[in-house]
Amino acid sequence: MSMFSIFGVSGSAVSAQSQRLNVVASNLANADAVAGPDGQAYKARHILFQTVAMGNDGSAGVKVQNIVESDAPGRRVHNPAHPSADAEGYVTHANVNPVEEMVNMISASRSYQNNVEVMNTAKSLLLKTLQMGQ
């Protein structure tokens, strides 16, 4: 693996983790949402990653393959006075688990930071290599 492919591999991971953070932020923003005008509650979204070959040197990066909606049922709360309550008096909330989303956010954030640190270290090594010739 060449030294320059490190930037491609880490760059792909930074891009993928950035998209993961956007999905987590969307999930957290809608955690307390109830059914919308279409009668459906917000469904949590999750990122699926895919390995991608990066050139002929055997290195591999990552990309977002797909964003899927969770099939978990929404949280139902008995509140007959709510305007969105069904015939039985239950209000369906989004199926977002805020604790799970916070764990995903911390994991994505640390992965992002680690990949930025890899790129900074590689840049520093390249600069020191150039200085050796002076």
Side-chain angles (χ1 to χ4, degrees), residues 19-103:
Q19 291 183 20
R20 183 178 174 198
L21 283 170
N22 284 336
V23 168
V24 168
S26 176
N27 287 343
L28 285 173
N30 290 293
D32 289 330
V34 295
D38 61 350
Q40 300 293 319
Y42 177 83
K43 292 184 177 181
R45 296 185 176 115
H46 302 286
I47 295 268
L48 296 178
F49 292 122
Q50 178 181 14
T51 304
V52 178
M54 309 277 295
N56 296 329
D57 56 359
S59 61
V62 64
K63 74 172 192 175
V64 174
Q65 179 189 28
N66 199 3
I67 299 174
V68 295
E69 289 185 343
S70 172
D71 291 335
R75 183 173 45 96
R76 292 180 50 138
V77 176
H78 187 70
N79 186 0
H82 196 280
S84 298
D86 61 8
E88 298 172 353
Y90 286 95
V91 177
T92 304
H93 292 262
N95 63 354
V96 175
N97 182 345
V99 174
E100 181 180 319
E101 296 302 326
M102 290 301 292
V103 169

Side-chain angles (χ1 to χ4, degrees), residues 3 6-7 118-132:
M3 183 71 175
I6 291 173
F7 294 107
V118 165
M119 288 191 284
N120 283 334
T121 301
K123 181 182 97 179
S124 175
L125 287 172
L126 285 171
L127 287 174
K128 288 187 180 195
T129 302
L130 288 174
Q131 289 174 349
M132 286 174 56

